[in-house]
Amino acid sequence: MSLDETRIKIDAIDQQLIRLLNERAEMVHVIGEIKKKDGLDIYVPGREEKLLRKLCELNAAQQGLLTEKAIRAIFREIMSAALALENSLSIAYLGPAGSWTHQVAINKFGNSVSYAAEASTEGVFARVASQGVDYGVLPIEHSTEGAVHHTLDHLVDSDLQIYAEILWKVETVVMAKGDADSIHVIYGLPQMLAQCRPWLTQCFPKASLAASASSSLAATHAENEPGAAAIGTPLGAELHGLRVLSTSPPEHASRARFIILGRRSGAPTGHDNTMLMVHARDRVGALLEVLQVFASRNVNVRQIENRPVPGDLTGEQARFFLEISGHHEEPALQEAIRDLTGQGAKVKVLGSYPAPGWVEER
């Protein structure tokens, strides 16, 4: 087949794709109208992940040339366009633009929905609570820094809940206007510079490392200072018009967890986790007593985080954050919560959400 014949065939396939995409959009619109009539959520994370897995399995069965990463990226944008068509979905995130949270939000919801940057965790909570946006995206844990306590503490004091979560493998990029040989200083967040120092000194031996208050400010330095570079996200490089000079090798990638903040929990999917806050007296065996309640019902406690209780100057109170396998509507978990309450503990469900897998940055 000649080049011209091949191009003609591609044009014909593109015409079919446009027709099929619009047919799909019409079907999504029908589903959206049914959901609105029945008062159901337009965005359902459990259904989304199930569909993506099914599409990847279908591609593998057909021995398609596209990778799983490519299939997910393509259909993420198709679903993003459908969400925007149905509900004008809006997402608040911990900014500024180009931050890790912004990058994660776009990867999760695509480019077709609208985004609002907030300067603080409080701002994201306030925007979702006021119904100024549909959902918020916030960090909750980083592999090198542990839990993000601001997010946990705000969940205790708010009526908002975790609707879904995103587990993220972070790849850091070095961005600049010039080429690698011209770089004499690299700006970045102190913790990111520390984590990436061995890689940066190996790839850019002539460059010094300079701390910056944010990844966005670091990118601004790279944008305006000759010989300056920054570490940050691929999105940050795109927003600041910078070239990606290098990408962190796998051994320097970190992992982070983000939550999708909503006005209620996600619906049960059969593969869920639940975040609980348990407030009890701080005494010998207090945590063991809490854990035994769950163990007696064969409920798995996946993770524990201990936080001080605000205003408790005597140190007589303890606050535990527990991530539990299962949905809070399941009988075993409800029984465990009743038992803890009966023992004098205060328990608050901070959200139930589908248990995801780690997502590679695209």
Short mmCIF file of all heavy atoms in Angstrom, two decimals, residues 107-156:
data_model
loop_
_atom_site.label_atom_id
_atom_site.label_comp_id
_atom_site.label_asym_id
_atom_site.label_seq_id
_atom_site.Cartn_x
_atom_site.Cartn_y
_atom_site.Cartn_z
N ASN A 107 -4.76 14.47 35.48
CA ASN A 107 -4.63 13.06 35.10
C ASN A 107 -5.89 12.28 35.45
O ASN A 107 -6.30 11.38 34.71
CB ASN A 107 -3.43 12.43 35.79
CG ASN A 107 -3.22 10.99 35.40
OD1 ASN A 107 -3.74 10.10 36.06
ND2 ASN A 107 -2.50 10.75 34.33
N LYS A 108 -6.54 12.65 36.55
CA LYS A 108 -7.74 11.93 37.00
C LYS A 108 -8.98 12.35 36.22
O LYS A 108 -9.78 11.52 35.80
CB LYS A 108 -7.96 12.19 38.49
CG LYS A 108 -9.13 11.41 39.09
CD LYS A 108 -8.88 9.91 39.03
CE LYS A 108 -10.00 9.13 39.70
NZ LYS A 108 -9.80 7.68 39.57
N PHE A 109 -9.16 13.65 36.02
CA PHE A 109 -10.41 14.16 35.44
C PHE A 109 -10.28 14.61 33.99
O PHE A 109 -11.30 14.91 33.36
CB PHE A 109 -10.94 15.32 36.28
CG PHE A 109 -11.44 14.91 37.64
CD1 PHE A 109 -10.65 15.06 38.76
CD2 PHE A 109 -12.70 14.37 37.79
CE1 PHE A 109 -11.11 14.70 40.02
CE2 PHE A 109 -13.17 13.99 39.03
CZ PHE A 109 -12.37 14.16 40.16
N GLY A 110 -9.05 14.67 33.45
CA GLY A 110 -8.88 15.08 32.07
C GLY A 110 -8.87 16.59 31.90
O GLY A 110 -9.00 17.36 32.86
N ASN A 111 -8.74 17.02 30.66
CA ASN A 111 -8.58 18.44 30.36
C ASN A 111 -9.89 19.16 30.03
O ASN A 111 -9.88 20.38 29.84
CB ASN A 111 -7.61 18.61 29.18
CG ASN A 111 -6.18 18.31 29.57
OD1 ASN A 111 -5.52 19.11 30.22
ND2 ASN A 111 -5.70 17.13 29.20
N SER A 112 -10.99 18.43 29.95
CA SER A 112 -12.24 19.05 29.50
C SER A 112 -13.06 19.67 30.63
O SER A 112 -13.93 20.49 30.37
CB SER A 112 -13.11 18.03 28.76
OG SER A 112 -12.47 17.60 27.57
N VAL A 113 -12.82 19.28 31.87
CA VAL A 113 -13.56 19.86 32.99
C VAL A 113 -12.86 21.15 33.41
O VAL A 113 -11.75 21.45 32.99
CB VAL A 113 -13.65 18.88 34.17
CG1 VAL A 113 -14.28 17.57 33.72
CG2 VAL A 113 -12.28 18.61 34.78
N SER A 114 -13.50 21.93 34.28
CA SER A 114 -12.92 23.20 34.72
C SER A 114 -12.21 23.02 36.06
O SER A 114 -12.61 22.19 36.89
CB SER A 114 -13.99 24.28 34.83
OG SER A 114 -14.97 23.92 35.80
N TYR A 115 -11.16 23.82 36.29
CA TYR A 115 -10.34 23.71 37.49
C TYR A 115 -10.22 25.07 38.18
O TYR A 115 -10.21 26.11 37.53
CB TYR A 115 -8.94 23.19 37.14
CG TYR A 115 -8.94 21.77 36.65
CD1 TYR A 115 -8.98 21.48 35.28
CD2 TYR A 115 -8.93 20.71 37.54
CE1 TYR A 115 -8.99 20.17 34.83
CE2 TYR A 115 -8.95 19.40 37.09
CZ TYR A 115 -8.97 19.13 35.74
OH TYR A 115 -9.00 17.84 35.30
N ALA A 116 -10.11 25.02 39.52
CA ALA A 116 -9.93 26.23 40.31
C ALA A 116 -8.81 26.00 41.31
O ALA A 116 -8.88 25.07 42.13
CB ALA A 116 -11.23 26.59 41.05
N ALA A 117 -7.76 26.80 41.23
CA ALA A 117 -6.63 26.67 42.15
C ALA A 117 -6.96 27.37 43.47
O ALA A 117 -7.50 28.48 43.47
CB ALA A 117 -5.38 27.28 41.53
N GLU A 118 -6.64 26.73 44.58
CA GLU A 118 -6.79 27.33 45.90
C GLU A 118 -5.43 27.37 46.58
O GLU A 118 -4.64 26.44 46.45
CB GLU A 118 -7.78 26.54 46.76
CG GLU A 118 -9.22 26.63 46.29
CD GLU A 118 -9.81 28.01 46.51
OE1 GLU A 118 -9.28 28.76 47.36
OE2 GLU A 118 -10.81 28.35 45.84
N ALA A 119 -5.18 28.43 47.32
CA ALA A 119 -3.86 28.63 47.93
C ALA A 119 -3.65 27.80 49.18
O ALA A 119 -2.52 27.68 49.66
CB ALA A 119 -3.65 30.11 48.24
N SER A 120 -4.72 27.23 49.74
CA SER A 120 -4.60 26.50 51.00
C SER A 120 -5.58 25.33 51.04
O SER A 120 -6.55 25.27 50.28
CB SER A 120 -4.90 27.44 52.17
OG SER A 120 -6.25 27.88 52.12
N THR A 121 -5.31 24.42 51.98
CA THR A 121 -6.23 23.31 52.22
C THR A 121 -7.60 23.85 52.64
O THR A 121 -8.64 23.35 52.20
CB THR A 121 -5.67 22.39 53.33
OG1 THR A 121 -4.41 21.87 52.90
CG2 THR A 121 -6.61 21.24 53.63
N GLU A 122 -7.58 24.88 53.50
CA GLU A 122 -8.83 25.49 53.95
C GLU A 122 -9.65 26.00 52.76
O GLU A 122 -10.88 25.88 52.73
CB GLU A 122 -8.55 26.66 54.90
CG GLU A 122 -7.94 26.25 56.23
CD GLU A 122 -6.42 26.17 56.19
OE1 GLU A 122 -5.84 26.13 55.09
OE2 GLU A 122 -5.82 26.11 57.27
N GLY A 123 -8.96 26.58 51.77
CA GLY A 123 -9.64 27.10 50.60
C GLY A 123 -10.35 26.02 49.80
O GLY A 123 -11.46 26.22 49.30
N VAL A 124 -9.70 24.85 49.66
CA VAL A 124 -10.31 23.74 48.93
C VAL A 124 -11.55 23.25 49.67
O VAL A 124 -12.62 23.04 49.07
CB VAL A 124 -9.31 22.59 48.72
CG1 VAL A 124 -10.00 21.39 48.07
CG2 VAL A 124 -8.14 23.05 47.87
N PHE A 125 -11.44 23.07 51.00
CA PHE A 125 -12.60 22.63 51.78
C PHE A 125 -13.75 23.63 51.66
O PHE A 125 -14.91 23.25 51.49
CB PHE A 125 -12.20 22.46 53.25
CG PHE A 125 -11.72 21.08 53.60
CD1 PHE A 125 -10.40 20.71 53.36
CD2 PHE A 125 -12.57 20.14 54.17
CE1 PHE A 125 -9.94 19.45 53.69
CE2 PHE A 125 -12.13 18.87 54.49
CZ PHE A 125 -10.81 18.52 54.25
N ALA A 126 -13.43 24.92 51.76
CA ALA A 126 -14.47 25.94 51.71
C ALA A 126 -15.16 25.97 50.35
O ALA A 126 -16.38 26.12 50.26
CB ALA A 126 -13.86 27.31 52.02
N ARG A 127 -14.38 25.80 49.27
CA ARG A 127 -14.95 25.85 47.93
C ARG A 127 -15.90 24.67 47.69
O ARG A 127 -16.97 24.84 47.12
CB ARG A 127 -13.83 25.83 46.89
CG ARG A 127 -14.28 26.01 45.44
CD ARG A 127 -14.74 27.43 45.17
NE ARG A 127 -13.63 28.34 45.03
CZ ARG A 127 -13.11 28.73 43.87
NH1 ARG A 127 -13.63 28.28 42.73
NH2 ARG A 127 -12.12 29.58 43.84
N VAL A 128 -15.52 23.48 48.17
CA VAL A 128 -16.40 22.31 48.00
C VAL A 128 -17.64 22.45 48.90
O VAL A 128 -18.76 22.17 48.47
CB VAL A 128 -15.66 21.00 48.32
CG1 VAL A 128 -16.59 19.80 48.18
CG2 VAL A 128 -14.45 20.83 47.39
N ALA A 129 -17.44 22.90 50.15
CA ALA A 129 -18.56 23.02 51.08
C ALA A 129 -19.60 24.02 50.60
O ALA A 129 -20.81 23.83 50.81
CB ALA A 129 -18.04 23.43 52.46
N SER A 130 -19.16 25.09 49.95
CA SER A 130 -20.08 26.12 49.46
C SER A 130 -20.73 25.74 48.14
O SER A 130 -21.52 26.51 47.60
CB SER A 130 -19.34 27.44 49.30
OG SER A 130 -18.38 27.36 48.24
N GLN A 131 -20.37 24.56 47.62
CA GLN A 131 -20.85 24.06 46.33
C GLN A 131 -20.39 24.95 45.17
O GLN A 131 -21.01 24.97 44.11
CB GLN A 131 -22.38 23.92 46.33
CG GLN A 131 -22.88 22.96 47.40
CD GLN A 131 -24.36 22.63 47.27
OE1 GLN A 131 -24.93 22.70 46.20
NE2 GLN A 131 -24.97 22.25 48.39
N GLY A 132 -19.27 25.65 45.40
CA GLY A 132 -18.67 26.41 44.31
C GLY A 132 -18.01 25.51 43.28
O GLY A 132 -17.81 25.92 42.13
N VAL A 133 -17.66 24.30 43.70
CA VAL A 133 -17.13 23.28 42.80
C VAL A 133 -17.77 21.95 43.17
O VAL A 133 -18.39 21.82 44.23
CB VAL A 133 -15.58 23.16 42.89
CG1 VAL A 133 -14.90 24.44 42.44
CG2 VAL A 133 -15.16 22.78 44.31
N ASP A 134 -17.60 20.96 42.30
CA ASP A 134 -18.16 19.63 42.58
C ASP A 134 -17.28 18.82 43.52
O ASP A 134 -17.79 18.15 44.43
CB ASP A 134 -18.35 18.87 41.26
CG ASP A 134 -19.37 19.56 40.37
OD1 ASP A 134 -20.56 19.51 40.70
OD2 ASP A 134 -18.96 20.16 39.35
N TYR A 135 -15.97 18.86 43.30
CA TYR A 135 -15.03 18.08 44.11
C TYR A 135 -13.75 18.87 44.34
O TYR A 135 -13.47 19.84 43.63
CB TYR A 135 -14.68 16.76 43.42
CG TYR A 135 -15.87 15.87 43.14
CD1 TYR A 135 -16.43 15.79 41.87
CD2 TYR A 135 -16.45 15.10 44.16
CE1 TYR A 135 -17.53 14.98 41.61
CE2 TYR A 135 -17.55 14.29 43.92
CZ TYR A 135 -18.08 14.24 42.64
OH TYR A 135 -19.18 13.45 42.40
N GLY A 136 -12.98 18.42 45.31
CA GLY A 136 -11.66 18.98 45.56
C GLY A 136 -10.62 17.89 45.53
O GLY A 136 -10.92 16.72 45.80
N VAL A 137 -9.39 18.25 45.18
CA VAL A 137 -8.27 17.30 45.18
C VAL A 137 -7.21 17.83 46.13
O VAL A 137 -6.76 18.97 45.99
CB VAL A 137 -7.70 17.10 43.76
CG1 VAL A 137 -6.51 16.12 43.81
CG2 VAL A 137 -8.76 16.58 42.81
N LEU A 138 -6.80 16.97 47.08
CA LEU A 138 -5.83 17.36 48.10
C LEU A 138 -4.86 16.22 48.37
O LEU A 138 -5.25 15.05 48.30
CB LEU A 138 -6.54 17.70 49.41
CG LEU A 138 -7.30 19.03 49.49
CD1 LEU A 138 -8.23 19.02 50.69
CD2 LEU A 138 -6.32 20.19 49.56
N PRO A 139 -3.61 16.53 48.71
CA PRO A 139 -2.69 15.47 49.12
C PRO A 139 -3.02 14.99 50.52
O PRO A 139 -3.46 15.77 51.37
CB PRO A 139 -1.32 16.18 49.10
CG PRO A 139 -1.65 17.62 49.35
CD PRO A 139 -2.99 17.87 48.71
N ILE A 140 -2.83 13.70 50.76
CA ILE A 140 -3.07 13.17 52.09
C ILE A 140 -1.89 12.37 52.63
O ILE A 140 -1.76 12.15 53.83
CB ILE A 140 -4.36 12.30 52.11
CG1 ILE A 140 -4.85 12.09 53.55
CG2 ILE A 140 -4.15 10.95 51.41
CD1 ILE A 140 -6.22 11.49 53.65
N GLU A 141 -0.97 11.95 51.75
CA GLU A 141 0.20 11.20 52.22
C GLU A 141 1.28 11.22 51.15
O GLU A 141 0.99 11.19 49.95
CB GLU A 141 -0.19 9.75 52.53
CG GLU A 141 0.94 8.90 53.10
CD GLU A 141 0.52 7.46 53.31
OE1 GLU A 141 -0.68 7.19 53.42
OE2 GLU A 141 1.41 6.59 53.33
N HIS A 142 2.54 11.30 51.61
CA HIS A 142 3.69 11.24 50.70
C HIS A 142 4.65 10.20 51.23
O HIS A 142 4.88 10.12 52.44
CB HIS A 142 4.37 12.61 50.59
CG HIS A 142 5.34 12.71 49.47
ND1 HIS A 142 6.63 12.24 49.56
CD2 HIS A 142 5.21 13.21 48.22
CE1 HIS A 142 7.26 12.45 48.41
NE2 HIS A 142 6.42 13.05 47.58
N SER A 143 5.24 9.42 50.35
CA SER A 143 6.09 8.30 50.78
C SER A 143 7.32 8.75 51.55
O SER A 143 7.83 8.01 52.39
CB SER A 143 6.53 7.47 49.56
OG SER A 143 7.28 8.25 48.66
N THR A 144 7.81 9.97 51.30
CA THR A 144 9.01 10.44 52.00
C THR A 144 8.70 11.34 53.18
O THR A 144 9.56 11.59 54.02
CB THR A 144 9.94 11.19 51.03
OG1 THR A 144 9.23 12.31 50.48
CG2 THR A 144 10.43 10.29 49.93
N GLU A 145 7.45 11.85 53.27
CA GLU A 145 7.13 12.80 54.33
C GLU A 145 6.00 12.35 55.23
O GLU A 145 5.70 13.00 56.23
CB GLU A 145 6.75 14.15 53.70
CG GLU A 145 7.87 14.77 52.88
CD GLU A 145 7.37 15.99 52.12
OE1 GLU A 145 6.85 16.92 52.76
OE2 GLU A 145 7.51 16.00 50.89
N GLY A 146 5.35 11.23 54.91
CA GLY A 146 4.27 10.73 55.74
C GLY A 146 2.95 11.43 55.47
O GLY A 146 2.74 12.01 54.41
N ALA A 147 2.06 11.36 56.46
CA ALA A 147 0.70 11.89 56.29
C ALA A 147 0.72 13.41 56.17
O ALA A 147 1.55 14.09 56.76
CB ALA A 147 -0.17 11.47 57.46
N VAL A 148 -0.22 13.93 55.41
CA VAL A 148 -0.42 15.37 55.30
C VAL A 148 -1.46 15.74 56.36
O VAL A 148 -2.66 15.59 56.15
CB VAL A 148 -0.88 15.76 53.89
CG1 VAL A 148 -1.11 17.26 53.79
CG2 VAL A 148 0.14 15.31 52.85
N HIS A 149 -0.99 16.22 57.49
CA HIS A 149 -1.85 16.36 58.66
C HIS A 149 -2.93 17.43 58.48
O HIS A 149 -4.02 17.31 59.06
CB HIS A 149 -0.99 16.67 59.89
CG HIS A 149 -0.08 15.54 60.26
ND1 HIS A 149 1.20 15.71 60.69
CD2 HIS A 149 -0.28 14.19 60.22
CE1 HIS A 149 1.76 14.53 60.94
NE2 HIS A 149 0.88 13.59 60.66
N HIS A 150 -2.65 18.47 57.72
CA HIS A 150 -3.67 19.49 57.49
C HIS A 150 -4.94 18.87 56.92
O HIS A 150 -6.06 19.20 57.34
CB HIS A 150 -3.14 20.55 56.51
CG HIS A 150 -2.47 21.69 57.20
ND1 HIS A 150 -1.49 22.46 56.60
CD2 HIS A 150 -2.63 22.21 58.43
CE1 HIS A 150 -1.09 23.38 57.44
NE2 HIS A 150 -1.76 23.25 58.55
N THR A 151 -4.77 17.99 55.96
CA THR A 151 -5.93 17.37 55.31
C THR A 151 -6.70 16.50 56.29
O THR A 151 -7.94 16.57 56.37
CB THR A 151 -5.49 16.53 54.10
OG1 THR A 151 -4.76 17.36 53.18
CG2 THR A 151 -6.68 15.94 53.38
N LEU A 152 -5.99 15.69 57.07
CA LEU A 152 -6.65 14.83 58.05
C LEU A 152 -7.42 15.64 59.09
O LEU A 152 -8.57 15.35 59.41
CB LEU A 152 -5.62 13.94 58.75
CG LEU A 152 -4.96 12.85 57.91
CD1 LEU A 152 -3.82 12.20 58.68
CD2 LEU A 152 -5.97 11.80 57.48
N ASP A 153 -6.79 16.70 59.62
CA ASP A 153 -7.43 17.51 60.65
C ASP A 153 -8.67 18.21 60.13
O ASP A 153 -9.68 18.34 60.84
CB ASP A 153 -6.44 18.53 61.21
CG ASP A 153 -5.31 17.88 62.02
OD1 ASP A 153 -5.50 16.74 62.47
OD2 ASP A 153 -4.26 18.51 62.19
N HIS A 154 -8.62 18.67 58.89
CA HIS A 154 -9.78 19.34 58.32
C HIS A 154 -10.95 18.38 58.08
O HIS A 154 -12.11 18.77 58.17
CB HIS A 154 -9.41 20.05 57.01
CG HIS A 154 -8.82 21.41 57.23
ND1 HIS A 154 -7.51 21.59 57.58
CD2 HIS A 154 -9.37 22.65 57.18
CE1 HIS A 154 -7.25 22.88 57.73
NE2 HIS A 154 -8.37 23.55 57.49
N LEU A 155 -10.64 17.13 57.78
CA LEU A 155 -11.71 16.14 57.61
C LEU A 155 -12.47 15.93 58.91
O LEU A 155 -13.69 15.72 58.90
CB LEU A 155 -11.11 14.81 57.13
CG LEU A 155 -10.73 14.73 55.65
CD1 LEU A 155 -9.86 13.52 55.38
CD2 LEU A 155 -11.98 14.68 54.77
N VAL A 156 -11.78 15.99 60.04
CA VAL A 156 -12.44 15.81 61.34
C VAL A 156 -13.44 16.93 61.59
O VAL A 156 -14.54 16.71 62.10
CB VAL A 156 -11.39 15.76 62.47
CG1 VAL A 156 -12.08 15.72 63.83
CG2 VAL A 156 -10.49 14.54 62.31
#
